């Protein structure tokens, strides 16, 4: 069954590139949201298999969005992978503590991204 | 004498015999008469103790005494037959006499009246004609009277003797006394001699010069010490006036001093030179500092002055060295920005430097003697107790190690804490730890900066990674071959890559730009700019973009000039217009205008859009870096998040202000003000007009420049080639050089390089005058004062010359903190006239930020600011060692009391009262402070507290 990934990022080009990348390399279906609040709505309505979440976003940043996802029973089980420029060891620990599945650094290798997501989520 | 009988002729013999008998009879009677007449008792006995004869006195006395009768021929023994005791005594004494002994005895008898009578008995033998003893006599003499006389005499003699004894005793006593005195005297004399010898010795060997003077101030004594000190022998100076030992300039003063001393003081010594240094002069003419005492002695009505003088050159040298050292140490302690506290073993503060006191909010006196614990927090960050025994300072004193601590806080007097970095170093004296030195610095600011830096790096990192992610992603997909470049997706990816690359380039440029502007590495190329030209050029630049979204640009301007960097002002206007275009709805109008403000001192540039507006809470922060209203705005458009920050930096470099007014949903008005340029008549001094050397290969330009300059009162020197310029610069020492760049042979750059290489000309200010513009040439950022374009604008030329002639080796920069723009504007011409750069802040917040960015040489601070008063600014400056020493002019509406002034005073601070000082006075005070600061900078070796 085709996996469905929700990409939440305020950067239009990143959403686009990520979408093309995952569709092309993994054949997944990619949904996009340009802000945290839009992401919450889509996550609840579309129930993706995983969420790629940008950290630094205006208005509602990644961690806040994640908290909202966790607080909603409908979205709580969806694994969340952070896509961030900030992936220092201390950040990783903080994210893991929060319950996030993984963090992938920007810029990412487009040919490796799908594999990284699979590895993080234990998908075959 | 017995008759000498002889037998001769009978007749004759008879006759002779008769004659002899007669003579004998005669002799006998004479003898008897003599006996009788004698007052002594005389008796003669024969060898058989029979009386031969006795005189009446004897008979009377004998018979009376012994109560018996005597007659010649009668034996004495018979006469004394009844007195056996007398008989024995008589037999004994007479026996001795009859035996031939002659002697005297004295006997004492009582007379009939019972009175003692003394008799002297003298026994003598009687010799016959043949010298044979025939008997003996004794003569008894009453010696009672003689005895009495003798007794009296004896008594008199005894008395005399007694007196003599007494007198003798007296004399002996006196003698003893005299002897004692004599002994004393001898002793004293001896002591005196020793003392004299000693004094003489001391006098001679004393290292001090000892000089005696008579009333005429002639030298009468000059010891060896004096010989050594002055280099004269005693013989050379005895009898000479004291003057020869003094430097000529002190002679009269010294004479008066000695004379004055003589008249004021009797037998008193006083140190000379207590109030002033005295100097001596050696034989070789060299002078030396001395310490001397003078004393006066009246001997026999004559005054003697004794001067004891010590050469203190060496001591002075040592003292000077010590005091220099201690001053140096004190200066070092005072001048270091770090707080330094000395602690004894009990943990009490033994010394503090001014920085420590300042940082902790105490006075030095308040801290000294206090336990260090008063500045150490009593709790750790987690609120657990933090006893002194746990502190590194205590440990340093225990184990002798040096501790460097960077994660603790100290407590100020007011209880607030600040982050410190400190070292605790044990003080070891003779191998024993006697205390510790705590050296600390306030790192609050550094922490804030570090945090800001972290945040900034984090933001920049994000900003850089965002386009990189797009580029990397797009190109990665394309190069993998999974997506063909010619496909729709491929084209889209290529577009994303290109756009993102552009964004990255813009971002990097903006980051570099803002850094260079704020750090002062980019000099504003200021010139006289026509405001209308600026508006026109800016509008032309963005017209095409506006046209794309069908926006109307509506420019309006005034005919005015500003002293500004043309390109940078265009940069601001373009940036504001671009933002306006981005956020304006299609078909709307954007107006861009320039007008003179109500005060008449500023030009206000306004860019007004009809966009969605900016929320009130973002109005202040929008000029900060990466503080877009909505980050998605810039990402979707072409912003970098730095545009407005750059605008603000440029405006501040022009002593201007920038702000925004906005109503949500209606639009925004961005305004920046820049000081109006007022042309002033140049004030070139008539006495010594500056020489301006003009170097241009074009004779028309040379003539033009010479005419312009000479009309303004400058002297000119024109040369037609670079080589000539270099030669004349050395020969004529012009004050400034106006230099063409494009010349045959040695061009302008070569001339500059050549001048900079020569010590004599390296400081010659240079103004470039060229048809090329700075952007076209790859010019070094330093080396010239200004760049004038051709055709030459006279105002710009004059302005540049002023700037060149007043500038010091480095241009000074003044930070003006004043919310009243009108007042601030009044000062600008003054400072521009002095060739000073000005940076302008209207709030405490801006002031704090600009003070860090612009490295001002002087700060002018209005105490009454709308947001956070001047005290906040001063407190902040105080805590920064680099800013603490920047001269500060504080002015306020009302007079400050002492406490307020103390709280506000930094290193060199001047207080002025608004309305009590004219602009001229103000300028004067500011320039004074600035000059003192400049002098210090030019003479860095000179440490001034």
């Amino acid at each position: 069954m085709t996996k469905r990934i929700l990409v939440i990022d305020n950067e239009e080009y990143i959403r686009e590139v990520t979408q093309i990348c995952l569709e092309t390399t993994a054949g997944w279906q990619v949904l996009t949201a340009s802000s945290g609040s839009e992401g919450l709505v889509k996550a609840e309505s579309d129930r993706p298999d995983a969420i790629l979440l940008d950290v630094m976003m205006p208005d509602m940043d990644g961690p806040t969005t994640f908290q909202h996802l966790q607080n909603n029973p409908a979205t709580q089980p969806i694994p969340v992978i952070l896509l961030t420029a900030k992936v220092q060891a201390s950040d990783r620990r903080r994210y893991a503590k929060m319950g996030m599945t993984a963090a992938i650094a920007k810029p990412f290798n487009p040919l490796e991204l799908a594999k990284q997501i699979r590895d993080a989520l234990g998908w075959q | 004498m017995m008759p000498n009988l002889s037998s001769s002729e009978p007749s004759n013999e008879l006759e002779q015999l008769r004659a002899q008998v007669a003579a004998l009879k005669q002799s006998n009677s004479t003898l008897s008469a003599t006996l009788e007449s004698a007052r002594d008792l005389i008796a003669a006995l024969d060898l058989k103790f029979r009386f031969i004869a006795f005189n009446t006195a004897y008979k009377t006395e004998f018979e009376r005494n012994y109560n018996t009768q005597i007659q010649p021929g009668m034996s004495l023994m018979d006469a004394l037959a009844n007195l056996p005791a007398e008989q024995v005594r008589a037999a004994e004494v007479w026996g001795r006499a009859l035996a031939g002994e002659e002697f005297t005895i004295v006997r004492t008898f009582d007379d009939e009246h019972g009175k003692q009578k003394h008799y002297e008995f003298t026994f003598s033998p009687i010799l016959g004609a043949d010298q044979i003893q025939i008997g003996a006599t004794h003569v008894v003499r009453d010696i009672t009277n003689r005895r009495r006389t003798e007794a009296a005499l004896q008594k008199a003699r005894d008395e005399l003797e007694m007196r003599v004894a007494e007198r003798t005793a007296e004399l002996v006593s006196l003698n003893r006394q005299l002897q004692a005195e004599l002994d004393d005297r001898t002793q004293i004399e001896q002591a005196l001699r020793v003392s004299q010898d000693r004094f003489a010795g001391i006098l001679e060997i004393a290292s001090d010069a000892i000089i005696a003077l008579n009333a005429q101030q002639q030298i009468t004594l000059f010891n060896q010490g004096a010989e050594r000190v002055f280099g004269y022998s005693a013989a050379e100076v005895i009898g000479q006036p004291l003057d020869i030992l003094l430097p000529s300039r002190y002679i009269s003063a010294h004479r008066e001093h000695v004379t004055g001393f003589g008249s004021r003081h009797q037998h008193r010594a006083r140190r000379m030179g207590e109030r002033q240094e005295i100097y001596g002069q050696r034989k070789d003419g060299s002078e030396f500092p001395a310490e001397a005492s003078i004393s006066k002695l009246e001997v026999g009505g004559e005054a003697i002055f004794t001067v004891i003088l010590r050469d203190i050159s060496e001591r002075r040298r040592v003292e000077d060295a010590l005091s220099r050292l201690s001053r140096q140490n004190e200066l070092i302690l005072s001048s270091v920005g770090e707080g330094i506290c000395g602690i004894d073993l009990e943990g009490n503060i033994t010394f503090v430097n001014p920085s420590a006191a300042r940082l902790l909010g105490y006075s030095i006196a308040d801290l000294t003697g206090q336990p260090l614990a008063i500045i150490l927090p009593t709790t750790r960050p987690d609120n657990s107790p933090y006893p002194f025994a746990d502190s590194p300072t205590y440990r340093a004193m225990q184990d002798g190690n040096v501790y460097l601590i960077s994660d603790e806080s100290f407590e100020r007097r007011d209880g607030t804490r600040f982050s410190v970095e400190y070292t605790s170093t044990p003080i070891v004296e003779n191998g024993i730890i006697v205390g510790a030195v705590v050296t600390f610095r306030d790192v609050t600011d550094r922490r804030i900066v570090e945090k800001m830096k972290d945040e900034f790096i984090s933001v920049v990192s994000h900003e850089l990674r965002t386009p990189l992610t797009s580029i990397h992603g797009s190109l990665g997909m394309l190069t993998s071959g999974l997506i063909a470049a010619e496909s729709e997706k491929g084209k889209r990816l290529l577009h994303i890559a290109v756009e993102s690359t552009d964004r990255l380039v813009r971002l990097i440029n903006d980051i570099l730009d803002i850094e260079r502007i704020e750090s002062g590495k980019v000099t504003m190329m200021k010139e006289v700019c026509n405001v209308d030209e600026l508006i026109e050029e800016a509008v032309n630049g963005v017209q095409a973009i506006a046209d794309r979204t069908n926006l109307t640009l509506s420019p309006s301007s005034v005919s005015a000039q500003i002293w500004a960097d043309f390109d940078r002002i265009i940069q601001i206007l373009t940036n504001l217009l671009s933002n306006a275009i981005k956020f304006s709805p299609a078909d709307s109008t954007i107006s861009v205008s320039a007008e003179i403000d109500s005060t008449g001192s500023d030009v206000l540039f306004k860019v007004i859009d009809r966009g969605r507006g900016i929320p009130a809470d973002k109005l202040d922060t929008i000029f900060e870096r990466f503080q877009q209203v909505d980050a998605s705005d810039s990402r979707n458009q072409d912003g970098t998040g730095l545009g407005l920050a750059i605008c603000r930096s440029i405006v501040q470099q022009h002593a201007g202000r920038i702000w925004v007014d906005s109503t949500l949903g209606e639009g925004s008005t961005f305004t920046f003000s820049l000081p109006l340029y007022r042309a002033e008549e140049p004030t070139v001094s008539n006495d010594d007009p500056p020489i301006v050397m003009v170097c241009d290969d074009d004779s028309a330009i040379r003539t033009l420049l010479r005419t312009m300059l000479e009309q303004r009162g400058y002297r000119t020197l024109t040369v037609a080639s670079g080589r000539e310029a270099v030669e004349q610069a050395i020969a004529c020492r012009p004050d400034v050089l106006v230099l063409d760049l494009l010349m045959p042979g040695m061009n302008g750059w070569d001339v500059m390089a050549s001048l900079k290489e020569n010590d004599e000309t390296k400081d010659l200010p240079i103004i470039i005058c060229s048809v090329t513009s700075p952007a076209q040439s790859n010019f070094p950022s330093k080396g010239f004062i200004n760049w004038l374009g051709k055709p030459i604008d006279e105002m710009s030329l004059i302005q540049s010359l002023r700037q060149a002639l007043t500038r010091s080796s480095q241009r000074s920069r003044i930070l003006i903190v004043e919310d009243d723009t009108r007042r601030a504007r009044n000062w600008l011409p003054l400072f521009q006239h002095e060739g000073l750069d000005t940076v302008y802040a209207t709030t405490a917040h801006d002031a704090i930020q600009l003070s860090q960015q612009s490295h001002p040489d002087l700060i002018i601070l209005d105490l009454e600011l709308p947001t956070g008063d001047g005290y906040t600014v001063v407190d902040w400056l105080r805590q920064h060692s680099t800013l603490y020493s920047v001269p500060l002019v504080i002015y306020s509406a009302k007079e400050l009391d002492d406490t307020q002034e103390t709280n506000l005073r930094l290193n060199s601070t001047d207080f002025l009262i608004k309305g009590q000082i004219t602009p001229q006075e103000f300028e004067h005070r500011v320039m004074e402070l600035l000059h003192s600061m400049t002098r210090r900078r030019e003479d860095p070796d000179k440490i001034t507290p």
Side-chain angles (χ1 to χ4, degrees):
Chain A
M1 193 180 137
T2 308
K3 300 285 185 189
R4 287 189 309 142
I5 308 285
L6 173 61
V7 175
I8 307 174
D9 198 314
N10 64 307
E11 292 286 342
E12 183 196 348
Y13 288 167
I14 292 184
R15 288 197 304 273
E16 240 183 295
V17 170
T18 311
Q19 184 174 11
I20 294 171
C21 164
L22 293 179
E23 285 172 355
T24 310
T25 58
W28 295 334
Q29 186 186 346
V30 177
L31 313 169
T32 61
S34 65
S35 69
S37 44
E38 192 189 343
L40 292 179
V41 173
K42 289 201 170 171
E44 186 166 2
S45 59
D46 296 335
R47 305 292 172 94
D49 296 301
I51 297 172
L52 274 187
L53 178 62
D54 183 26
V55 173
M56 280 180 98
M57 291 188 293
D59 298 333
M60 188 191 288
D61 66 5
T64 313
T65 308
F66 178 73
Q67 283 306 327
H68 284 297
L69 290 169
Q70 291 293 292
N71 294 341
N72 184 348
T75 55
Q76 196 270 333
I78 306 172
V80 176
I81 293 171
L82 274 184
L83 203 54
T84 177
K86 291 176 87 176
V87 275
Q88 288 170 348
S90 60
D91 294 323
R92 274 184 198 281
R93 279 196 297 280
R94 193 160 58 88
Y95 298 148
K97 220 171 173 180
M98 288 171 72
M100 288 182 221
T101 309
I104 294 173
K106 287 183 190 174
F108 52 80
N109 181 338
L111 304 177
E112 295 285 318
L113 184 61
K115 182 180 183 297
Q116 279 178 290
I117 294 170
R118 274 198 206 98
D119 290 350
L121 299 175
W123 294 349
Q124 294 308 308
Chain B
M1 186 189 303
M2 296 301 288
N4 192 6
L5 296 174
S6 62
S7 54
S8 52
E9 299 170 23
S11 61
N12 280 351
E13 273 183 23
L14 194 55
E15 269 310 303
Q16 272 181 331
L17 200 52
R18 265 188 213 128
Q20 280 176 346
V21 170
L24 205 56
K25 277 185 178 169
Q26 179 73 33
S27 167
N28 195 31
S29 63
T30 303
L31 193 61
S32 294
T34 304
L35 280 173
E36 287 306 317
S37 67
R39 290 192 52 200
D40 296 342
L41 312 180
I42 301 167
L45 296 186
D46 65 13
L47 293 174
K48 295 191 172 167
F49 296 97
R50 287 174 305 212
F51 287 106
I52 299 168
F54 48 75
N55 68 355
T56 310
Y58 183 88
K59 181 177 170 41
T60 308
E61 194 62 30
F62 191 95
E63 289 177 352
R64 192 189 57 84
N65 242 346
Y66 300 125
N67 205 18
T68 182
Q69 296 287 313
I70 54 169
Q71 53 194 331
M74 187 178 171
S75 166
L76 177 59
M77 297 301 136
D78 293 343
L80 292 172
N82 295 328
L83 296 162
E86 283 298 321
Q87 202 175 25
V88 170
R89 187 163 40 222
E92 190 225 331
V93 291
W94 277 106
R96 284 165 61 195
L98 291 173
E101 190 181 353
E102 188 174 324
F103 62 94
T104 300
I105 61 167
V106 174
R107 292 190 63 185
T108 301
F109 302 95
D110 289 339
D111 71 354
E112 63 270 32
H113 308 295
K115 273 192 170 173
Q116 269 195 337
K117 299 204 70 137
H118 304 279
Y119 295 94
E120 187 185 73
F121 296 78
T122 304
F123 292 86
S124 311
I126 303 171
L127 300 176
D130 50 359
Q131 290 296 310
I132 292 166
Q133 189 173 353
I134 55 171
T137 63
H138 88 169
V139 178
V140 180
R141 183 174 291 166
D142 182 352
I143 59 164
T144 305
N145 282 337
R146 200 181 86 196
R147 271 288 160 96
R148 202 169 290 134
T149 307
E150 271 176 10
L153 262 176
Q154 184 63 43
K155 195 178 165 203
R157 192 180 296 127
D158 287 352
E159 278 176 12
L160 188 66
E161 269 180 15
M162 213 156 73
R163 285 221 190 109
V164 167
E166 277 174 9
R167 191 75 190 124
T168 305
E170 269 175 37
L171 278 172
V172 165
S173 152
L174 195 67
N175 194 31
R176 268 198 206 117
Q177 215 170 312
L178 281 173
Q179 187 63 46
E181 269 176 38
L182 200 64
D183 286 352
D184 278 356
R185 268 168 206 239
T186 312
Q187 225 166 353
I188 288 168
E189 199 181 88
Q190 208 163 6
L192 274 175
R193 195 168 298 122
V194 168
S195 165
Q196 195 185 4
D197 287 351
R198 195 178 296 152
F199 275 117
I202 289 170
L203 198 67
E204 275 317 312
I205 64 164
S207 60
D208 290 352
I210 300 171
I211 301 161
L213 305 173
N214 61 15
Q216 289 73 47
Q217 297 202 19
Q218 287 165 327
I219 297 165
T220 55
L221 182 145
F222 200 74
N223 75 337
Q224 286 179 10
E227 291 181 335
R228 272 194 301 275
V229 168
F230 287 96
Y232 286 104
S233 70
E236 285 175 298
V237 295
I238 299 289
Q240 295 284 325
L242 181 66
D243 303 354
I244 65 163
L245 304 178
L246 297 170
S248 53
R249 63 184 185 283
Y250 294 113
I251 289 175
S252 66
H254 186 77
R255 264 185 178 272
E256 277 169 30
H257 177 81
V258 174
T259 313
F261 180 80
S263 61
R264 282 193 308 274
H265 306 276
Q266 297 293 326
H267 304 291
R268 276 182 54 190
R270 208 188 72 186
R271 265 163 70 97
M272 290 194 294
E274 275 172 345
R275 287 181 204 87
Q276 59 181 33
E277 288 185 332
I278 72 156
Y279 284 89
Q281 181 170 287
R282 299 191 187 91
K283 187 180 179 182
D284 64 11
S286 59
E287 288 181 19
F288 60 93
E291 184 183 84
S293 69
I294 182 169
S295 56
K296 184 192 176 194
L297 211 67
E298 291 275 354
V299 177
E302 199 193 344
I304 297 174
F305 297 98
T306 308
V307 177
I308 300 177
L309 176 143
R310 177 173 298 173
D311 179 350
I312 56 167
S313 315
E314 186 55 32
R315 195 175 81 193
R316 185 63 54 79
R317 251 195 304 281
V318 172
E319 278 173 1
D320 285 354
L322 266 177
S323 98
R324 213 167 31 242
L325 197 67
S326 110
R327 212 164 44 235
Q328 211 172 331
N329 285 343
E330 202 177 303
L331 268 178
I332 290 168
L333 279 180
S334 308
S335 61
V336 293
E338 277 88 359
I340 299 175
C341 292
I343 314 292
D344 64 17
L345 280 178
E346 280 73 48
N348 292 324
I349 296 170
T350 53
F351 69 82
V352 274
N353 74 337
S355 287
R358 181 170 54 79
L359 290 168
L360 294 163
Y362 288 90
S363 71
I364 290 177
D366 286 344
L367 270 179
T368 311
Q370 292 292 323
L372 181 70
I374 67 163
I375 66 166
L376 298 175
T378 49
T379 55
R380 296 178 204 271
D382 63 0
N383 279 331
S384 60
Y386 185 25
F388 179 60
D390 285 0
S391 74
T393 307
Y394 184 80
R395 291 209 303 274
M397 292 194 289
Q398 296 301 306
D399 59 22
N401 292 327
V402 176
Y403 286 90
L404 170 63
I405 312 300
S406 54
D407 59 350
E408 287 193 10
S409 301
F410 280 174
E411 204 162 280
R412 293 194 190 93
R413 184 177 213 159
D414 62 11
T416 56
R417 289 185 185 182
F418 60 104
S419 302
V420 287
E421 186 178 272
Y422 72 97
T423 50
S424 285
T425 310
I427 306 172
V428 181
E429 275 176 18
N430 303 323
I432 297 165
I433 298 174
V434 296
V437 176
V438 176
T439 308
F440 65 96
R441 70 175 72 168
D442 182 351
V443 293
T444 311
D445 187 53
R446 201 173 74 196
R447 291 279 146 76
I448 292 169
V449 170
E450 278 167 3
K451 191 161 168 263
M452 279 168 59
K453 204 168 85 184
D454 285 351
E455 283 171 4
F456 181 71
I457 287 171
S458 164
V459 170
V460 169
S461 158
H462 179 264
E463 296 300 317
L464 290 171
R465 280 168 192 271
T466 298
L468 268 178
T469 305
S470 304
I471 295 165
H472 194 188
S474 310
L475 297 180
M477 291 305 295
L478 288 168
T479 50
S480 71
L482 292 171
I483 291 173
E486 300 79 19
S487 67
E488 278 307 307
K489 268 188 186 172
K491 283 178 183 164
R492 180 63 189 161
L493 286 174
L494 276 173
H495 174 77
I496 289 172
V498 170
E499 287 280 302
S500 298
T501 308
D502 284 349
R503 178 173 158 189
L504 195 57
V505 170
R506 277 197 306 276
L507 180 67
I508 289 168
N509 283 342
D510 278 2
I511 290 170
L512 293 179
D513 205 22
I514 197 165
E515 283 306 310
R516 282 160 60 205
I517 295 170
E518 290 190 353
S519 64
K521 281 178 195 150
V522 173
T523 333
M524 297 289 129
M525 306 294 295
K526 290 181 189 174
E527 59 185 323
V528 177
C529 303
N530 287 317
V531 170
D532 43 8
E533 279 177 35
L534 286 165
I535 297 286
E536 193 186 333
E537 176 126 358
V539 168
N540 289 341
V542 297
Q543 189 64 59
I545 317 170
D547 290 347
R548 271 184 240 155
T549 39
N550 212 16
L551 292 168
T552 309
L553 294 178
S554 161
S556 70
S557 185
V558 284
S559 176
Q561 291 180 317
I562 54 170
W563 178 248
D565 184 324
F566 192 93
D567 292 340
R568 290 294 184 180
I569 304 305
I570 293 295
Q571 189 181 355
I572 301 173
L573 286 168
T574 306
N575 197 296
L576 295 178
L577 283 168
S578 302
N579 283 346
I581 290 166
K582 266 188 253 174
F583 298 113
S584 288
D587 302 321
S588 64
T589 300
I590 294 166
S591 71
V592 51
S593 65
E595 62 193 72
I596 310 243
D597 79 341
S598 55
T599 66
S601 59
D602 285 345
V603 176
L604 297 181
F605 292 87
K606 292 187 176 181
V607 175
I608 305 167
D609 67 56
R610 295 280 156 236
R612 62 189 191 203
I614 300 160
D617 63 330
K618 303 272 176 141
L619 290 177
D620 284 336
T621 57
I622 196 166
F623 295 99
E624 304 290 332
R625 302 167 183 194
F626 303 117
Q627 292 288 339
Q628 294 95 333
V629 172
D630 178 346
S632 62
D633 296 340
S634 64
R635 311 308 191 271
N636 294 332
Q637 309 274 342
D638 57 357
T640 60
L642 291 169
L644 288 176
I646 292 173
C647 289
R648 188 180 63 172
S649 291
I650 295 170
V651 168
Q652 282 170 343
Q653 295 285 328
H654 283 82
R657 275 181 71 206
I658 186 167
W659 68 96
V660 61
D661 300 298
S662 184
T663 311
L664 270 179
E666 289 184 16
S668 307
T669 302
F670 282 84
T671 311
F672 66 97
S673 64
L674 293 176
L676 198 58
Y677 173 76
R678 284 198 193 84
E680 283 176 82
E681 283 303 306
T683 48
V684 175
S685 158
N686 286 330
D687 334 327
D688 189 18
I691 302 169
V692 181
M693 179 158 77
V694 173
C695 173
D696 203 307
D697 59 324
D698 184 338
S699 66
I701 300 282
R702 290 201 300 275
T703 311
L704 174 69
L705 281 169
R706 191 171 60 224
T707 313
M708 280 181 179
L709 294 169
E710 286 178 355
Q711 275 175 353
R712 299 275 177 168
Y714 292 99
R715 283 184 285 172
T716 56
L717 171 68
T718 54
V719 291
S721 73
R723 192 155 308 282
E724 248 184 297
V726 174
E727 285 165 10
Q728 292 298 313
I730 296 165
C732 302
R733 299 303 192 88
D735 295 295
V736 58
L737 167 63
V738 179
L739 178 65
D740 185 20
L741 282 184
L742 304 177
M743 293 182 291
M746 198 177 188
N747 71 27
W749 297 119
D750 299 335
V751 173
M752 276 175 63
S754 177
L755 293 174
K756 298 290 168 199
E757 274 171 19
N758 189 323
D759 272 353
E760 291 178 62
T761 54
K762 69 176 164 50
D763 293 327
L764 174 62
I766 296 167
I767 297 168
I768 288 173
C769 182
S770 171
V771 286
T772 60
S773 78
Q776 285 171 286
S777 303
N778 182 23
F779 65 88
S781 61
K782 283 182 182 169
F784 59 91
I785 300 285
N786 216 332
W787 189 302
L788 298 177
K790 285 178 183 172
I792 296 158
D793 177 271
E794 192 173 348
M795 287 313 296
S796 299
L797 171 69
I798 298 306
Q799 193 72 33
S800 301
L801 281 174
R802 275 192 196 141
Q803 197 181 328
L805 290 166
T806 50
R807 76 174 214 140
S808 58
S809 58
Q810 197 184 330
R811 278 186 78 155
S812 296
R813 182 174 292 173
I814 300 184
L815 169 61
I816 302 170
V817 187
E818 166 61 280
D819 64 309
D820 182 344
T821 49
R822 195 173 48 194
R823 186 180 293 114
R825 294 288 176 266
N826 286 337
W827 299 332
L828 292 176
L830 304 177
F831 299 137
Q832 280 175 1
H833 188 254
E834 297 286 346
L836 300 169
D837 272 348
T838 44
V839 187
Y840 181 43
T842 51
T843 64
H845 175 265
D846 281 359
I848 287 171
Q849 195 167 43
L850 282 176
S851 67
Q852 265 197 318
Q853 291 169 359
S854 61
H855 310 293
D857 297 300
L858 183 131
I859 299 169
I860 298 172
L861 173 67
D862 179 5
L863 200 54
E864 293 90 16
L865 289 173
T867 57
D869 60 11
Y871 286 91
T872 322
V873 179
V874 175
D875 276 348
W876 197 85
L877 298 173
R878 192 188 303 278
Q879 288 167 27
H880 293 73
S881 48
T882 49
L883 293 168
Y884 174 68
S885 55
V886 173
L888 176 66
V889 177
I890 292 177
Y891 64 97
S892 53
K894 55 184 189 301
E895 213 144 335
L896 303 171
D897 62 32
D898 289 349
T899 322
Q900 287 172 312
E901 287 203 0
T902 310
N903 289 338
L904 287 167
R905 193 177 292 281
L906 296 186
N907 205 8
S908 50
T909 306
D910 208 351
F911 292 94
L912 306 176
I913 311 296
K914 287 177 192 171
Q916 287 187 11
I917 188 157
T918 65
Q920 287 70 32
E921 283 172 328
F922 181 81
E923 182 191 8
H924 180 70
R925 298 277 281 272
V926 169
M927 292 314 293
E928 250 181 20
L929 265 176
L930 200 59
H931 286 151
S932 70
M933 178 269 307
T934 312
R935 277 196 298 276
R936 260 205 317 276
R937 195 172 57 198
E938 285 167 354
D939 188 6
D941 292 340
K942 191 174 146 194
I943 307 170
T944 42

